[in-house]
mmCIF file of all heavy atoms in Angstrom:
data_model
loop_
_atom_site.group_PDB
_atom_site.id
_atom_site.type_symbol
_atom_site.label_atom_id
_atom_site.label_comp_id
_atom_site.label_asym_id
_atom_site.label_seq_id
_atom_site.Cartn_x
_atom_site.Cartn_y
_atom_site.Cartn_z
ATOM 1 N N GLU A 67 71.020 107.588 125.975
ATOM 2 C CA GLU A 67 69.686 108.099 126.284
ATOM 3 C C GLU A 67 69.137 107.528 127.600
ATOM 4 O O GLU A 67 68.206 108.097 128.187
ATOM 5 C CB GLU A 67 68.719 107.795 125.141
ATOM 6 C CG GLU A 67 68.465 106.324 124.880
ATOM 7 C CD GLU A 67 69.535 105.646 124.028
ATOM 8 O OE1 GLU A 67 70.532 106.321 123.671
ATOM 9 O OE2 GLU A 67 69.357 104.458 123.713
ATOM 10 N N ALA A 68 69.700 106.428 128.071
ATOM 11 C CA ALA A 68 69.231 105.826 129.333
ATOM 12 C C ALA A 68 69.875 106.460 130.555
ATOM 13 O O ALA A 68 69.492 106.164 131.682
ATOM 14 C CB ALA A 68 69.510 104.327 129.330
ATOM 15 N N VAL A 69 70.868 107.320 130.338
ATOM 16 C CA VAL A 69 71.575 107.946 131.457
ATOM 17 C C VAL A 69 70.778 109.144 131.964
ATOM 18 O O VAL A 69 70.457 110.060 131.213
ATOM 19 C CB VAL A 69 72.983 108.397 131.030
ATOM 20 C CG1 VAL A 69 73.671 109.147 132.171
ATOM 21 C CG2 VAL A 69 73.825 107.201 130.605
ATOM 22 N N SER A 70 70.447 109.126 133.234
ATOM 23 C CA SER A 70 69.760 110.241 133.881
ATOM 24 C C SER A 70 70.181 110.277 135.334
ATOM 25 O O SER A 70 70.802 109.332 135.846
ATOM 26 C CB SER A 70 68.237 110.070 133.780
ATOM 27 O OG SER A 70 67.819 108.954 134.554
ATOM 28 N N MET A 71 69.853 111.360 136.008
ATOM 29 C CA MET A 71 70.179 111.440 137.430
ATOM 30 C C MET A 71 69.491 110.299 138.179
ATOM 31 O O MET A 71 70.079 109.673 139.063
ATOM 32 C CB MET A 71 69.741 112.797 137.988
ATOM 33 C CG MET A 71 70.397 113.993 137.322
ATOM 34 S SD MET A 71 72.186 114.099 137.592
ATOM 35 C CE MET A 71 72.224 114.930 139.183
ATOM 36 N N ARG A 72 68.260 110.007 137.805
ATOM 37 C CA ARG A 72 67.513 108.954 138.490
ATOM 38 C C ARG A 72 68.118 107.574 138.228
ATOM 39 O O ARG A 72 68.274 106.760 139.148
ATOM 40 C CB ARG A 72 66.050 108.979 138.043
ATOM 41 C CG ARG A 72 65.170 107.971 138.785
ATOM 42 C CD ARG A 72 63.736 108.044 138.297
ATOM 43 N NE ARG A 72 63.162 109.355 138.567
ATOM 44 C CZ ARG A 72 62.624 109.711 139.725
ATOM 45 N NH1 ARG A 72 62.598 108.834 140.734
ATOM 46 N NH2 ARG A 72 62.103 110.903 139.888
ATOM 47 N N SER A 73 68.462 107.292 136.961
ATOM 48 C CA SER A 73 68.996 105.963 136.651
ATOM 49 C C SER A 73 70.351 105.736 137.306
ATOM 50 O O SER A 73 70.659 104.634 137.767
ATOM 51 C CB SER A 73 69.090 105.756 135.141
ATOM 52 O OG SER A 73 70.050 106.615 134.548
ATOM 53 N N VAL A 74 71.165 106.794 137.372
ATOM 54 C CA VAL A 74 72.472 106.668 138.027
ATOM 55 C C VAL A 74 72.286 106.462 139.523
ATOM 56 O O VAL A 74 72.966 105.625 140.140
ATOM 57 C CB VAL A 74 73.348 107.907 137.735
ATOM 58 C CG1 VAL A 74 74.607 107.886 138.591
ATOM 59 C CG2 VAL A 74 73.718 107.947 136.252
ATOM 60 N N ALA A 75 71.365 107.221 140.120
ATOM 61 C CA ALA A 75 71.106 107.048 141.555
ATOM 62 C C ALA A 75 70.627 105.638 141.858
ATOM 63 O O ALA A 75 71.062 105.016 142.842
ATOM 64 C CB ALA A 75 70.074 108.082 142.012
ATOM 65 N N THR A 76 69.745 105.111 141.018
ATOM 66 C CA THR A 76 69.259 103.745 141.209
ATOM 67 C C THR A 76 70.408 102.751 141.116
ATOM 68 O O THR A 76 70.502 101.805 141.919
ATOM 69 C CB THR A 76 68.180 103.410 140.162
ATOM 70 O OG1 THR A 76 67.083 104.310 140.323
ATOM 71 C CG2 THR A 76 67.696 101.973 140.310
ATOM 72 N N ARG A 77 71.259 102.971 140.141
ATOM 73 C CA ARG A 77 72.417 102.096 139.970
ATOM 74 C C ARG A 77 73.300 102.088 141.226
ATOM 75 O O ARG A 77 73.817 101.031 141.634
ATOM 76 C CB ARG A 77 73.239 102.564 138.762
ATOM 77 C CG ARG A 77 74.539 101.813 138.529
ATOM 78 C CD ARG A 77 74.299 100.497 137.871
ATOM 79 N NE ARG A 77 75.484 99.644 137.920
ATOM 80 C CZ ARG A 77 75.530 98.414 137.429
ATOM 81 N NH1 ARG A 77 74.468 97.889 136.850
ATOM 82 N NH2 ARG A 77 76.627 97.688 137.522
ATOM 83 N N LEU A 78 73.440 103.244 141.839
ATOM 84 C CA LEU A 78 74.300 103.370 143.015
ATOM 85 C C LEU A 78 73.577 103.046 144.317
ATOM 86 O O LEU A 78 74.204 102.980 145.373
ATOM 87 C CB LEU A 78 74.867 104.792 143.075
ATOM 88 C CG LEU A 78 75.872 105.155 141.981
ATOM 89 C CD1 LEU A 78 76.143 106.650 141.997
ATOM 90 C CD2 LEU A 78 77.163 104.366 142.145
ATOM 91 N N GLY A 79 72.248 102.878 144.250
ATOM 92 C CA GLY A 79 71.495 102.581 145.449
ATOM 93 C C GLY A 79 71.354 103.760 146.388
ATOM 94 O O GLY A 79 71.367 103.597 147.610
ATOM 95 N N VAL A 80 71.258 104.979 145.789
ATOM 96 C CA VAL A 80 71.129 106.189 146.605
ATOM 97 C C VAL A 80 69.960 107.007 146.079
ATOM 98 O O VAL A 80 69.384 106.714 145.037
ATOM 99 C CB VAL A 80 72.424 107.032 146.562
ATOM 100 C CG1 VAL A 80 73.604 106.241 147.108
ATOM 101 C CG2 VAL A 80 72.713 107.517 145.136
ATOM 102 N N GLU A 81 69.616 108.073 146.809
ATOM 103 C CA GLU A 81 68.603 109.011 146.343
ATOM 104 C C GLU A 81 69.206 109.930 145.290
ATOM 105 O O GLU A 81 70.387 110.310 145.376
ATOM 106 C CB GLU A 81 68.068 109.842 147.509
ATOM 107 C CG GLU A 81 67.311 109.035 148.549
ATOM 108 C CD GLU A 81 66.027 108.434 147.984
ATOM 109 O OE1 GLU A 81 65.422 109.056 147.090
ATOM 110 O OE2 GLU A 81 65.641 107.343 148.452
ATOM 111 N N ALA A 82 68.393 110.314 144.300
ATOM 112 C CA ALA A 82 68.893 111.162 143.223
ATOM 113 C C ALA A 82 69.458 112.481 143.746
ATOM 114 O O ALA A 82 70.443 113.004 143.217
ATOM 115 C CB ALA A 82 67.785 111.425 142.198
ATOM 116 N N MET A 83 68.864 113.013 144.804
ATOM 117 C CA MET A 83 69.327 114.292 145.342
ATOM 118 C C MET A 83 70.777 114.235 145.808
ATOM 119 O O MET A 83 71.481 115.244 145.799
ATOM 120 C CB MET A 83 68.419 114.737 146.496
ATOM 121 C CG MET A 83 67.032 115.180 146.059
ATOM 122 S SD MET A 83 67.071 116.617 144.948
ATOM 123 C CE MET A 83 67.759 117.851 146.058
ATOM 124 N N SER A 84 71.226 113.060 146.216
ATOM 125 C CA SER A 84 72.594 112.952 146.733
ATOM 126 C C SER A 84 73.634 113.117 145.629
ATOM 127 O O SER A 84 74.808 113.367 145.912
ATOM 128 C CB SER A 84 72.794 111.614 147.437
ATOM 129 O OG SER A 84 72.645 110.536 146.526
ATOM 130 N N LEU A 85 73.205 112.991 144.374
ATOM 131 C CA LEU A 85 74.156 113.154 143.267
ATOM 132 C C LEU A 85 74.532 114.610 143.034
ATOM 133 O O LEU A 85 75.584 114.894 142.453
ATOM 134 C CB LEU A 85 73.567 112.580 141.970
ATOM 135 C CG LEU A 85 73.162 111.113 141.960
ATOM 136 C CD1 LEU A 85 72.728 110.718 140.559
ATOM 137 C CD2 LEU A 85 74.296 110.222 142.443
ATOM 138 N N TYR A 86 73.675 115.519 143.464
ATOM 139 C CA TYR A 86 73.885 116.931 143.128
ATOM 140 C C TYR A 86 75.099 117.532 143.814
ATOM 141 O O TYR A 86 75.551 118.615 143.439
ATOM 142 C CB TYR A 86 72.621 117.740 143.450
ATOM 143 C CG TYR A 86 71.494 117.455 142.482
ATOM 144 C CD1 TYR A 86 70.523 116.498 142.769
ATOM 145 C CD2 TYR A 86 71.424 118.120 141.264
ATOM 146 C CE1 TYR A 86 69.500 116.225 141.876
ATOM 147 C CE2 TYR A 86 70.399 117.850 140.368
ATOM 148 C CZ TYR A 86 69.439 116.900 140.677
ATOM 149 O OH TYR A 86 68.441 116.622 139.787
ATOM 150 N N ASN A 87 75.647 116.860 144.803
ATOM 151 C CA ASN A 87 76.908 117.311 145.402
ATOM 152 C C ASN A 87 78.100 117.049 144.495
ATOM 153 O O ASN A 87 79.194 117.583 144.732
ATOM 154 C CB ASN A 87 77.138 116.620 146.748
ATOM 155 C CG ASN A 87 76.137 117.036 147.796
ATOM 156 O OD1 ASN A 87 75.735 118.189 147.860
ATOM 157 N ND2 ASN A 87 75.717 116.081 148.625
ATOM 158 N N HIS A 88 77.888 116.228 143.454
ATOM 159 C CA HIS A 88 78.996 115.817 142.588
ATOM 160 C C HIS A 88 78.787 116.224 141.130
ATOM 161 O O HIS A 88 79.760 116.477 140.414
ATOM 162 C CB HIS A 88 79.171 114.303 142.685
ATOM 163 C CG HIS A 88 79.309 113.820 144.097
ATOM 164 N ND1 HIS A 88 80.477 113.952 144.820
ATOM 165 C CD2 HIS A 88 78.409 113.239 144.935
ATOM 166 C CE1 HIS A 88 80.313 113.463 146.032
ATOM 167 N NE2 HIS A 88 79.061 113.020 146.132
ATOM 168 N N VAL A 89 77.546 116.275 140.685
ATOM 169 C CA VAL A 89 77.216 116.773 139.344
ATOM 170 C C VAL A 89 75.982 117.662 139.472
ATOM 171 O O VAL A 89 75.011 117.292 140.133
ATOM 172 C CB VAL A 89 76.948 115.626 138.336
ATOM 173 C CG1 VAL A 89 78.240 114.907 137.982
ATOM 174 C CG2 VAL A 89 75.933 114.633 138.888
ATOM 175 N N ALA A 90 76.028 118.831 138.849
ATOM 176 C CA ALA A 90 75.000 119.839 139.090
ATOM 177 C C ALA A 90 73.650 119.477 138.489
ATOM 178 O O ALA A 90 72.606 119.825 139.024
ATOM 179 C CB ALA A 90 75.464 121.194 138.552
ATOM 180 N N ASN A 91 73.673 118.782 137.348
ATOM 181 C CA ASN A 91 72.435 118.457 136.636
ATOM 182 C C ASN A 91 72.767 117.413 135.572
ATOM 183 O O ASN A 91 73.919 116.944 135.480
ATOM 184 C CB ASN A 91 71.821 119.711 135.998
ATOM 185 C CG ASN A 91 72.856 120.525 135.224
ATOM 186 O OD1 ASN A 91 73.701 119.969 134.532
ATOM 187 N ND2 ASN A 91 72.790 121.842 135.356
ATOM 188 N N LYS A 92 71.779 117.069 134.757
ATOM 189 C CA LYS A 92 72.004 116.035 133.752
ATOM 190 C C LYS A 92 73.059 116.467 132.741
ATOM 191 O O LYS A 92 73.884 115.651 132.315
ATOM 192 C CB LYS A 92 70.704 115.679 133.034
ATOM 193 C CG LYS A 92 70.898 114.566 132.008
ATOM 194 C CD LYS A 92 69.607 114.155 131.337
ATOM 195 C CE LYS A 92 69.864 113.074 130.289
ATOM 196 N NZ LYS A 92 68.607 112.629 129.644
ATOM 197 N N LYS A 93 73.054 117.738 132.335
ATOM 198 C CA LYS A 93 74.068 118.210 131.384
ATOM 199 C C LYS A 93 75.468 118.022 131.959
ATOM 200 O O LYS A 93 76.378 117.551 131.264
ATOM 201 C CB LYS A 93 73.843 119.671 131.045
ATOM 202 C CG LYS A 93 74.880 120.229 130.067
ATOM 203 C CD LYS A 93 74.670 121.697 129.793
ATOM 204 C CE LYS A 93 75.705 122.208 128.793
ATOM 205 N NZ LYS A 93 77.095 122.033 129.258
ATOM 206 N N ALA A 94 75.641 118.376 133.220
ATOM 207 C CA ALA A 94 76.944 118.190 133.860
ATOM 208 C C ALA A 94 77.306 116.714 133.947
ATOM 209 O O ALA A 94 78.479 116.333 133.815
ATOM 210 C CB ALA A 94 76.940 118.824 135.247
ATOM 211 N N LEU A 95 76.301 115.879 134.164
ATOM 212 C CA LEU A 95 76.535 114.435 134.202
ATOM 213 C C LEU A 95 77.045 113.938 132.852
ATOM 214 O O LEU A 95 78.028 113.183 132.779
ATOM 215 C CB LEU A 95 75.239 113.728 134.575
ATOM 216 C CG LEU A 95 75.256 112.191 134.593
ATOM 217 C CD1 LEU A 95 76.219 111.678 135.652
ATOM 218 C CD2 LEU A 95 73.853 111.651 134.846
ATOM 219 N N LEU A 96 76.410 114.374 131.770
ATOM 220 C CA LEU A 96 76.830 113.937 130.438
ATOM 221 C C LEU A 96 78.169 114.560 130.050
ATOM 222 O O LEU A 96 78.985 113.909 129.381
ATOM 223 C CB LEU A 96 75.760 114.283 129.414
ATOM 224 C CG LEU A 96 74.446 113.507 129.560
ATOM 225 C CD1 LEU A 96 73.435 113.972 128.522
ATOM 226 C CD2 LEU A 96 74.680 111.999 129.443
ATOM 227 N N ASP A 97 78.406 115.804 130.457
ATOM 228 C CA ASP A 97 79.712 116.408 130.189
ATOM 229 C C ASP A 97 80.809 115.620 130.900
ATOM 230 O O ASP A 97 81.882 115.368 130.345
ATOM 231 C CB ASP A 97 79.739 117.862 130.667
ATOM 232 C CG ASP A 97 78.953 118.798 129.757
ATOM 233 O OD1 ASP A 97 78.601 118.389 128.627
ATOM 234 O OD2 ASP A 97 78.698 119.942 130.176
ATOM 235 N N GLY A 98 80.544 115.235 132.143
ATOM 236 C CA GLY A 98 81.528 114.444 132.882
ATOM 237 C C GLY A 98 81.728 113.076 132.264
ATOM 238 O O GLY A 98 82.861 112.559 132.227
ATOM 239 N N LEU A 99 80.662 112.489 131.760
ATOM 240 C CA LEU A 99 80.776 111.195 131.086
ATOM 241 C C LEU A 99 81.616 111.335 129.824
ATOM 242 O O LEU A 99 82.446 110.474 129.520
ATOM 243 C CB LEU A 99 79.383 110.664 130.750
ATOM 244 C CG LEU A 99 79.301 109.308 130.054
ATOM 245 C CD1 LEU A 99 79.987 108.221 130.876
ATOM 246 C CD2 LEU A 99 77.843 108.932 129.788
ATOM 247 N N PHE A 100 81.413 112.426 129.094
ATOM 248 C CA PHE A 100 82.248 112.704 127.925
ATOM 249 C C PHE A 100 83.726 112.750 128.318
ATOM 250 O O PHE A 100 84.578 112.144 127.681
ATOM 251 C CB PHE A 100 81.820 114.036 127.297
ATOM 252 C CG PHE A 100 82.682 114.503 126.150
ATOM 253 C CD1 PHE A 100 82.328 114.230 124.841
ATOM 254 C CD2 PHE A 100 83.843 115.224 126.379
ATOM 255 C CE1 PHE A 100 83.114 114.663 123.788
ATOM 256 C CE2 PHE A 100 84.641 115.663 125.339
ATOM 257 C CZ PHE A 100 84.275 115.372 124.032
ATOM 258 N N ASP A 101 84.022 113.496 129.386
ATOM 259 C CA ASP A 101 85.408 113.602 129.841
ATOM 260 C C ASP A 101 85.986 112.224 130.160
ATOM 261 O O ASP A 101 87.122 111.905 129.782
ATOM 262 C CB ASP A 101 85.497 114.478 131.095
ATOM 263 C CG ASP A 101 85.181 115.938 130.817
ATOM 264 O OD1 ASP A 101 85.272 116.341 129.654
ATOM 265 O OD2 ASP A 101 84.843 116.656 131.772
ATOM 266 N N LEU A 102 85.204 111.401 130.863
ATOM 267 C CA LEU A 102 85.661 110.070 131.242
ATOM 268 C C LEU A 102 85.936 109.220 130.008
ATOM 269 O O LEU A 102 86.953 108.511 129.933
ATOM 270 C CB LEU A 102 84.614 109.402 132.135
ATOM 271 C CG LEU A 102 84.900 107.965 132.589
ATOM 272 C CD1 LEU A 102 86.193 107.901 133.395
ATOM 273 C CD2 LEU A 102 83.728 107.417 133.404
ATOM 274 N N VAL A 103 85.049 109.286 129.028
ATOM 275 C CA VAL A 103 85.207 108.492 127.813
ATOM 276 C C VAL A 103 86.446 108.930 127.037
ATOM 277 O O VAL A 103 87.217 108.096 126.543
ATOM 278 C CB VAL A 103 83.938 108.593 126.940
ATOM 279 C CG1 VAL A 103 84.176 107.998 125.565
ATOM 280 C CG2 VAL A 103 82.780 107.885 127.615
ATOM 281 N N ILE A 104 86.656 110.242 126.922
ATOM 282 C CA ILE A 104 87.834 110.734 126.207
ATOM 283 C C ILE A 104 89.110 110.271 126.905
ATOM 284 O O ILE A 104 90.081 109.858 126.255
ATOM 285 C CB ILE A 104 87.801 112.264 126.100
ATOM 286 C CG1 ILE A 104 86.712 112.703 125.116
ATOM 287 C CG2 ILE A 104 89.162 112.811 125.642
ATOM 288 C CD1 ILE A 104 86.926 112.264 123.681
ATOM 289 N N ARG A 105 89.121 110.309 128.226
ATOM 290 C CA ARG A 105 90.313 109.838 128.937
ATOM 291 C C ARG A 105 90.548 108.352 128.687
ATOM 292 O O ARG A 105 91.687 107.889 128.602
ATOM 293 C CB ARG A 105 90.184 110.118 130.436
ATOM 294 C CG ARG A 105 90.242 111.589 130.790
ATOM 295 C CD ARG A 105 90.504 111.796 132.275
ATOM 296 N NE ARG A 105 89.445 111.291 133.121
ATOM 297 C CZ ARG A 105 88.365 111.989 133.472
ATOM 298 N NH1 ARG A 105 88.200 113.215 133.031
ATOM 299 N NH2 ARG A 105 87.455 111.458 134.274
ATOM 300 N N THR A 106 89.465 107.591 128.567
ATOM 301 C CA THR A 106 89.565 106.156 128.306
ATOM 302 C C THR A 106 90.212 105.877 126.962
ATOM 303 O O THR A 106 90.853 104.832 126.772
ATOM 304 C CB THR A 106 88.158 105.512 128.356
ATOM 305 O OG1 THR A 106 87.587 105.744 129.639
ATOM 306 C CG2 THR A 106 88.209 104.024 128.103
ATOM 307 N N ALA A 107 90.061 106.804 126.009
ATOM 308 C CA ALA A 107 90.574 106.586 124.655
ATOM 309 C C ALA A 107 92.095 106.659 124.575
ATOM 310 O O ALA A 107 92.684 106.214 123.587
ATOM 311 C CB ALA A 107 89.960 107.609 123.700
ATOM 312 N N ASN A 108 92.743 107.236 125.594
ATOM 313 C CA ASN A 108 94.206 107.362 125.593
ATOM 314 C C ASN A 108 94.712 108.035 124.313
ATOM 315 O O ASN A 108 95.612 107.529 123.632
ATOM 316 C CB ASN A 108 94.870 105.989 125.764
ATOM 317 C CG ASN A 108 94.626 105.390 127.132
ATOM 318 O OD1 ASN A 108 94.693 106.086 128.140
ATOM 319 N ND2 ASN A 108 94.319 104.102 127.174
ATOM 320 N N LEU A 109 94.142 109.180 123.986
ATOM 321 C CA LEU A 109 94.597 109.935 122.822
ATOM 322 C C LEU A 109 95.986 110.499 123.088
ATOM 323 O O LEU A 109 96.387 110.673 124.239
ATOM 324 C CB LEU A 109 93.615 111.070 122.521
ATOM 325 C CG LEU A 109 92.168 110.660 122.249
ATOM 326 C CD1 LEU A 109 91.313 111.886 121.975
ATOM 327 C CD2 LEU A 109 92.083 109.682 121.088
ATOM 328 N N PRO A 110 96.753 110.786 122.023
ATOM 329 C CA PRO A 110 98.123 111.283 122.223
ATOM 330 C C PRO A 110 98.143 112.590 123.011
ATOM 331 O O PRO A 110 97.367 113.504 122.730
ATOM 332 C CB PRO A 110 98.616 111.515 120.785
ATOM 333 C CG PRO A 110 97.747 110.664 119.926
ATOM 334 C CD PRO A 110 96.412 110.631 120.602
#
C-alpha cells in the first residue's frame, strides 16, 4: 500500500513524471512489481 509513483520517485531522487517513460501508471507499476516478485520465486 506504500508503493506509489510519488514514493518510488522519492526513493530514486527524481520527479514522478520521469517514471512515466518506464511505467504508464500505478497499475502498471504494481503489475511490474508482481512480475519481478514472481521471477524472484524461481518457480519451476
